[in-house]
Amino acid sequence: TQLAIARGHRADKQALVETTDHFEALLRQPDPDLNKIAEIDREMNIALARMTGNPIFEMIMRMTQIGFSSQDQMLYEDPDFCAQTAANWVDTARRIAAGDILKALSSISYHYVLLARCLQKKESEAARRADLQTHEDRAPLPGDTSPGWPFESTPATSEAER
């Protein structure tokens, strides 16, 4: 980010701001094209790397985007995180364009906070679903007549119950 701010050309910074504005508008649509959103997200990350003027860093960013784009896409699939992520991209681009290094670094860091929270939410939801599935799959206890069991009641298990 510091190199992008220091070495990036004014036109490249302005193009990033315009891309983030377009990106945010796409995400406000009722049914955004998530493949297009993921493509623009990758392009913005690569544009940041290109602004550093370091072709090795740009190449590494391209390879990283191939590996991590699926996780970033979760941010756009989840309504709780979609708008926050888009707004954060806009803030990041504007702070880079303004040359505000500390605020730009803060915005980029916040992206990873959002991603971590989104992953935690997904993991929590998956654990809850697994718990529910485990509960539904458990063997019935004697006398259990709850709905969903394949029989009305269990046979008596003690002499007193017979």
Side-chain angles (χ1 to χ4, degrees), residues 81-154:
F81 292 96
C82 183
Q84 292 177 69
T85 304
N88 190 62
W89 257 118
V90 170
D91 289 345
T92 300
R94 290 182 181 180
R95 289 168 173 173
I96 287 171
D100 195 336
I101 293 173
L102 292 178
K103 287 183 179 179
L105 287 172
S106 176
S107 292
I108 287 173
S109 296
Y110 187 60
H111 173 82
Y112 295 102
V113 168
L114 289 170
L115 182 57
R117 288 177 182 166
C118 184
L119 290 170
Q120 286 173 335
K121 178 182 175 188
K122 297 294 181 197
E123 288 170 1
S124 176
E125 289 170 352
R128 245 189 332 265
R129 281 192 303 274
D131 274 352
L132 289 173
Q133 186 63 41
T134 300
H135 177 72
E136 290 172 0
D137 290 344
R138 72 170 170 77
L141 299 173
D144 191 349
T145 59
S146 60
W149 296 114
F151 37 79
E152 301 251 341
S153 64
T154 56

Side-chain angles (χ1 to χ4, degrees), residues 2-64:
Q2 292 174 352
L3 287 176
I5 291 172
R7 295 180 179 173
H9 299 287
R10 183 183 312 260
D12 293 334
K13 293 174 185 178
Q14 185 56 40
L16 183 63
V17 169
E18 291 168 10
T19 300
T20 60
D21 289 340
H22 172 68
F23 183 71
E24 189 176 40
L26 284 175
L27 284 169
R28 282 194 207 120
Q29 294 178 351
D31 191 23
D33 179 351
L34 292 180
N35 290 325
K36 182 67 175 170
I37 298 302
E39 179 184 328
I40 295 171
D41 184 90
R42 281 190 297 276
E43 289 172 5
M44 290 187 298
N45 279 295
I46 293 167
L48 280 174
R50 190 177 310 114
M51 279 189 252
T52 68
N54 183 334
I56 301 297
F57 185 62
E58 182 180 345
M59 181 185 70
I60 291 169
M61 179 58 80
R62 285 182 187 279
M63 293 185 311
T64 302

Side-chain angles (χ1 to χ4, degrees), residues 66-86:
I66 292 169
F68 290 109
S69 63
S70 61
Q71 286 190 342
D72 275 355
Q73 189 161 346
M74 282 192 292
L75 290 166
Y76 306 113
E77 293 169 352
D78 188 312
D80 293 340
F81 292 96
C82 183
Q84 292 177 69
T85 304

